[in-house]
Amino acid sequence: MGRKLDPLKKAPRGPGRKARKQPGAENELSKILSDGGDCCSPYLFWSLLNRAAKRRQVEAQKLKPSRPEAKQNDNAEWLKPVKRLKKEEEAENDDEEEEEMEEELSDQDVDSGDEEAGNLEEGEEEEDDDEEVEDNEEEEEESGDDEPAEELELSDSDDLQDDYGVSSEDDDDDGDLQSLIQYREKTDEEPDIQLNVEADEHFTLPSTEEMDNQLSGPLDLTSVHERIKDIVAVLQDFSKRGGPHSRQEYITVLRRDLATYYSYGDYMIEMLSDLFPVSELVDFLESCEVQRPVTIRTNTLKTRRRDLAQALINRGVNLDPLGKWSKTGLVIYDSSVPVGATPEYLAGHYMLQGASSLLPVIALAPQENERVLDMCCAPGGKTSYMAQLMKNTGVVVANDMNAERLRSVVGNLHRLGVTSCIICNYDGRQIPKVLGGFDRVLLDAPCSGTGIISKDPAVKTNKNAQDIQRCAHIQKELILSAIDSLDAQSSSGGFLVYCTCSITVEENECVVDYALKKRNVKLVPTGLDFGKEGFVRFKERRFHQSLRLARRFYPHTHNMDGFFVAKLRKFSNTIPSTKEEKSGAEQTENKEVEEKKANPKPAPQAQKKGQKTPPTEPVQKTLPAKPGQKTPPTEPEQKTPPTEPEQSTLTKSGQSAQKTKEKKRLKYMKNQMMLLKRQKLLLKKKKDKKKST
């Protein structure tokens, strides 16, 4: 049953070990041997005959001359499986013979059940003799098998096949021929299959009618996904295209398939396809379907990252350090407890914060005892991080336009133990009129949110070009007000960090380039070692070369939300737009003077300037001769009309100086009021603590 089949090695037939272990097997063996041995056991008789025939065949083959090697032709491959087919048929025949033998033995066991007690001793003795006989037969077979392996292989192949793949044994039947015919038919069909594969190598675009039919019927997302892969492969190597289709036709079909497969709007797909290459576009869309890992920031005002990590690991949290660029961040892979409700979280030891929102604060790098402004602070993650880096020294002004969102800011600052923060509720565009003279400003401007699609999938469909332009307009106003609130003469600061959670060029590079033109600022390195450079050219737009210093972050490359970070430094408090206006006014006034000179009406005024030359005015000649009328030297004063621009500039400069003084006084008064309010709040807190104790 379980022996390996070999045409040269026949397994000994008869009741084996399993049959001997069965009850009554000893008596049956004794009967068989006592009644006449091989004569009364047809199965053993025929097995011995088969073995003898095999031995004769082996000896005859040794005496035959060796055949010449056959030439290799196309029939060599399909002739080989005949050996396997023959072995399978022999295995089936052997299994059938063993089953028949077991059935015969079982029938004989039933008949001999009454004679078991009397014949036990005789059966054991005869069984020993039988085992000796079988051992001798096996030794003879082994001695015959000790011949060289090469000769056995030749005999095996000669027994199984001849030159035409037909077996030379007498028991070959029509089954082998039928199997060979079937195998030939299969091999004849293989070249056609190969031709079909070669024909399908080149991808062909579906027609518009086919696309419309697919859209009208039930969608098959698997076919759409396969077509996306094929089009991407064609666009990467355009020589693989099939048919006379242009590259633009492939791109239009790809955009339509991506919009249907990932559920995006047409505008978003066009914007992203302009922003990324084809292969990178698919990676970005795939990464937006997956949530970003949960990250936390250690509050070093209360604990250390090492201690916090050990405490969370003891609670069953699996975490790792965020990266070499962050000294406080931790990545949480899985947790057996809710991360936002642990005792460590309630005690203010850490803050749930995305990895990308740590980057602007690292780029700003606030120092101790500085005045820092967070223009759009809600929900307070960046504000608390800045206060943490400043070690609760200096002043951090947290502003937000939405009063309801400030409640979360207040709660987080109290929980984290921040005491150097002032919260205010102003429109960011009006802050320079209220506060100013800051050393550093952080502007996390409101944006379209195209970098956080994994958090807000509604961005896929509810954003259009008008929304992007509206956000860009607000961002331009905010960045100008943020620059105006900076103090360029600050010894340690004068820096602005502009960041958004969007990846569109209109909200990032366009806004920074606008600020470079309107204010005396320049781009400086962000201090971040990773991230992609900002765009210097995008489609028809051309930006300042220093925008390479800005940094872009994508979910498919950095495994964090899409983000943009740019760092600016203010080197002058003057506004270049006013200078341009003054120069423009001077140019217009000079043009007016030239026009007056060209016109005939102002000609007498021109003669007054050169009164010595004209002889037609004798009255004017006699006036200088009088001693009391030596006033004509005042004629240069009459030349004041051309110098009216100078008078206007003087008056304007005086007015501007007065305005600046008034502004400084107002700021000083407001700062004092803010400090008084802060002192009152601190006194109230102390009183409340005393009452509670």
Side-chain angles (χ1 to χ4, degrees):
M1 295 291 289
R3 300 186 183 94
K4 293 182 180 179
L5 295 175
D6 193 343
L8 299 179
K9 292 183 181 180
K10 282 288 186 178
R13 304 301 182 184
R17 294 179 182 176
K18 293 182 179 179
R20 294 170 197 161
K21 291 179 182 178
Q22 295 177 357
E26 297 85 356
N27 297 330
E28 295 297 325
L29 287 170
S30 63
K31 278 186 178 183
I32 291 167
L33 294 173
S34 62
D35 292 341
D38 295 336
C39 297
C40 298
S41 177
Y43 186 80
L44 292 174
F45 177 75
W46 286 109
S47 64
L48 292 173
L49 289 176
N50 289 331
R51 290 175 189 169
K54 286 284 183 183
R55 289 171 189 156
R56 292 192 204 98
Q57 289 178 0
V58 171
E59 292 175 357
Q61 288 169 1
K62 290 179 182 178
L63 298 174
K64 287 181 181 179
S66 61
R67 295 182 182 180
E69 293 184 357
K71 295 182 180 179
Q72 293 183 355
N73 52 14
D74 296 335
N75 297 327
E77 293 182 359
W78 61 266
L79 286 173
K80 291 180 182 178
V82 178
K83 181 178 180 180
R84 184 187 62 189
L85 295 172
K86 184 65 180 179
K87 286 185 178 181
E88 290 178 356
E89 289 178 1
E90 288 180 359
E92 291 177 0
N93 294 330
D94 293 341
D95 294 339
E96 290 176 0
E97 290 176 0
E98 288 181 2
E99 288 177 359
E100 290 176 0
M101 187 61 191
E102 288 177 0
E103 289 176 0
E104 291 176 2
L105 290 173
S106 62
D107 295 336
Q108 292 176 3
D109 289 339
V110 174
D111 297 335
S112 63
D114 297 334
E115 300 177 1
E116 290 179 358
N119 297 327
L120 284 173
E121 295 178 356
E122 295 177 0
E124 290 176 355
E125 294 175 358
E126 292 175 355
E127 183 179 357
D128 296 336
D129 297 333
D130 189 10
E131 288 177 358
E132 291 177 359
V133 171
E134 289 179 357
D135 293 337
N136 293 329
E137 291 176 354
E138 289 176 359
E139 289 176 1
E140 290 175 1
E141 289 178 0
E142 290 175 359
S143 63
D145 293 339
D146 291 334
E147 296 170 2
E150 296 178 354
E151 295 178 358
L152 288 175
E153 290 177 357
L154 287 170
S155 63
D156 188 6
S157 63
D158 293 336
D159 289 337
L160 292 173
Q161 301 178 15
D162 59 5
D163 293 339
Y164 297 95
V166 180
S167 177
S168 61
E169 293 182 358
D170 296 331
D171 56 352
D172 290 339
D173 53 0
D174 295 335
D176 294 338
L177 295 173
Q178 292 178 359
S179 62
L180 290 173
I181 293 167
Q182 292 176 359
Y183 188 78
R184 285 181 180 179
E185 291 175 355
K186 289 181 181 179
T187 53
D188 293 336
E189 291 175 359
E190 284 181 0
D192 297 334
I193 294 169
Q194 286 290 338
L195 291 173
N196 293 332
V197 171
E198 291 176 358
D200 292 338
E201 284 183 357
H202 298 287
F203 172 73
T204 56
L205 276 178
S207 62
T208 55
E209 295 178 356
E210 293 177 357
M211 295 289 292
D212 295 335
N213 293 330
Q214 289 182 0
L215 293 174
S216 61
L219 286 174
D220 187 7
L221 293 178
T222 55
S223 62
V224 174
H225 191 252
E226 289 177 358
R227 187 162 61 241
I228 289 170
K229 291 181 179 178
D230 294 334
I231 294 174
V232 170
V234 169
L235 291 175
Q236 288 178 349
D237 187 4
F238 207 57
S239 61
K240 294 182 180 179
R241 70 185 186 278
H245 298 286
S246 63
R247 191 179 188 86
Q248 188 62 34
E249 292 177 356
Y250 280 95
I251 291 172
T252 53
V253 175
L254 178 63
R255 287 178 178 175
R256 187 184 299 177
D257 290 340
L258 290 174
T260 55
Y261 188 77
Y262 294 102
S263 303
Y264 277 81
D266 294 336
Y267 172 76
M268 286 294 294
I269 286 293
E270 289 179 4
M271 184 268 293
L272 294 173
S273 61
D274 292 336
L275 196 63
F276 297 108
V278 176
S279 59
E280 196 173 356
L281 173 61
V282 178
D283 295 338
F284 175 81
L285 296 176
E286 285 289 342
S287 64
C288 289
E289 301 296 320
V290 182
Q291 294 291 331
R292 302 276 78 74
V294 179
T295 57
I296 61 174
R297 174 180 56 81
T298 308
N299 183 18
T300 55
L301 296 174
K302 291 189 175 183
T303 185
R304 296 184 301 174
R305 185 169 70 169
R306 184 186 303 172
D307 300 336
L308 175 63
Q310 188 61 43
L312 292 177
I313 289 169
N314 294 336
R315 294 191 183 277
V317 181
N318 185 12
L319 51 84
D320 273 333
L322 181 57
K324 295 181 180 180
W325 55 271
S326 175
K327 297 180 181 179
T328 58
L330 291 170
V331 184
I332 294 177
Y333 300 109
D334 56 359
S335 174
S336 59
V337 295
V339 182
T342 59
E344 288 79 11
Y345 177 81
L346 299 175
H349 290 181
Y350 64 89
M351 174 83 176
L352 283 168
Q353 192 171 359
S356 57
S357 63
L358 302 176
L359 300 172
V361 182
I362 295 172
L364 186 63
Q367 305 298 321
E368 297 181 12
N369 299 315
E370 285 185 346
R371 295 184 64 199
V372 183
L373 171 65
D374 189 357
M375 191 171 282
C376 304
C377 65
K382 300 180 185 67
T383 305
S384 59
Y385 192 16
M386 287 191 292
Q388 171 182 321
L389 294 176
M390 295 168 66
K391 298 179 181 178
N392 264 340
T393 61
V395 179
V396 179
V397 178
N399 176 72
D400 200 272
M401 187 177 178
N402 192 350
E404 294 181 356
R405 298 187 70 188
L406 287 174
R407 296 177 183 176
S408 61
V409 178
V410 174
N412 285 324
L413 293 180
H414 281 301
R415 182 175 58 84
L416 297 170
V418 177
T419 59
S420 63
C421 185
I422 299 172
I423 298 174
C424 56
N425 181 19
Y426 287 103
D427 187 355
R429 293 169 287 187
Q430 305 299 326
I431 279 195
K433 299 177 182 178
V434 180
L435 296 171
F438 290 99
D439 297 320
R440 299 173 194 265
V441 176
L442 175 63
L443 175 58
D444 186 4
C447 61
S448 60
T450 53
I452 53 172
I453 297 174
S454 59
K455 293 181 180 178
D456 186 11
V459 179
K460 295 179 179 180
T461 54
N462 63 2
K463 298 297 178 185
N464 53 22
Q466 294 178 356
D467 297 330
I468 303 297
Q469 293 298 330
R470 192 181 300 112
C471 290
H473 180 70
I474 295 170
Q475 289 161 357
K476 288 176 182 178
E477 292 179 347
L478 287 172
I479 195 170
L480 292 181
S481 63
I483 293 169
D484 292 338
S485 60
L486 276 172
D487 184 12
Q489 296 178 357
S490 175
S491 60
S492 61
F495 292 102
L496 165 68
V497 169
Y498 173 80
C499 60
T500 61
C501 56
S502 176
I503 59 173
T504 59
V505 177
E506 292 80 4
E507 297 179 83
N508 297 322
E509 281 84 359
C510 289
V511 176
V512 176
D513 191 65
Y514 176 80
L516 292 173
K517 294 176 181 178
K518 293 293 183 181
R519 293 292 185 270
N520 290 321
V521 292
K522 63 179 181 179
L523 277 165
V524 295
T526 58
L528 301 171
D529 298 334
F530 64 103
K532 293 190 176 181
E533 295 180 353
F535 287 103
V536 176
R537 52 186 300 174
F538 180 75
K539 297 173 73 173
E540 71 277 2
R541 295 187 178 93
R542 299 293 181 269
F543 305 117
H544 197 270
Q545 294 295 321
S546 61
L547 274 166
R548 298 180 189 275
L549 299 173
R551 287 291 175 267
R552 283 176 160 266
F553 303 93
Y554 299 117
H556 63 284
T557 55
H558 306 101
N559 198 17
M560 59 177 67
D561 294 327
F563 227 74
F564 175 82
V565 180
K567 189 174 183 180
L568 302 163
R569 183 170 187 176
K570 187 176 181 181
F571 56 84
S572 177
N573 287 326
T574 58
I575 299 173
S577 61
T578 57
K579 291 181 180 179
E580 291 176 0
E581 290 175 358
K582 288 180 180 179
S583 62
E586 290 177 358
Q587 289 177 2
T588 54
E589 289 175 356
N590 292 329
K591 287 180 181 178
E592 290 177 357
V593 172
E594 290 176 357
E595 288 176 358
K596 287 178 181 179
K597 289 180 180 179
N599 292 329
K601 290 181 180 179
Q605 294 179 357
Q607 289 176 0
K608 286 180 182 179
K609 294 179 183 178
Q611 286 178 0
K612 296 179 181 180
T613 55
T616 57
E617 293 181 357
V619 178
Q620 291 179 357
K621 287 181 182 179
T622 56
L623 286 173
K626 295 180 181 180
Q629 292 183 356
K630 289 183 180 179
T631 55
T634 60
E635 288 178 359
E637 295 177 358
Q638 293 178 359
K639 294 181 182 179
T640 53
T643 60
E644 285 179 2
E646 296 177 358
Q647 290 180 356
S648 64
T649 53
L650 291 172
T651 55
K652 287 181 181 179
S653 62
Q655 290 177 1
S656 62
Q658 290 178 359
K659 288 180 180 179
T660 52
K661 287 180 182 179
E662 289 177 0
K663 285 182 180 180
K664 287 181 180 179
R665 288 175 187 174
L666 291 172
K667 289 178 183 179
Y668 179 75
M669 295 296 293
K670 288 177 181 178
N671 290 332
Q672 284 186 344
M673 293 295 291
M674 295 291 290
L675 292 172
L676 289 172
K677 287 181 182 179
R678 186 182 172 192
Q679 289 176 358
K680 288 179 181 179
L681 290 171
L682 293 173
L683 290 172
K684 285 182 181 180
K685 288 180 181 179
K686 289 180 181 179
K687 288 179 182 179
D688 294 334
K689 287 181 180 179
K690 288 180 181 179
K691 289 179 182 179
S692 62
T693 53

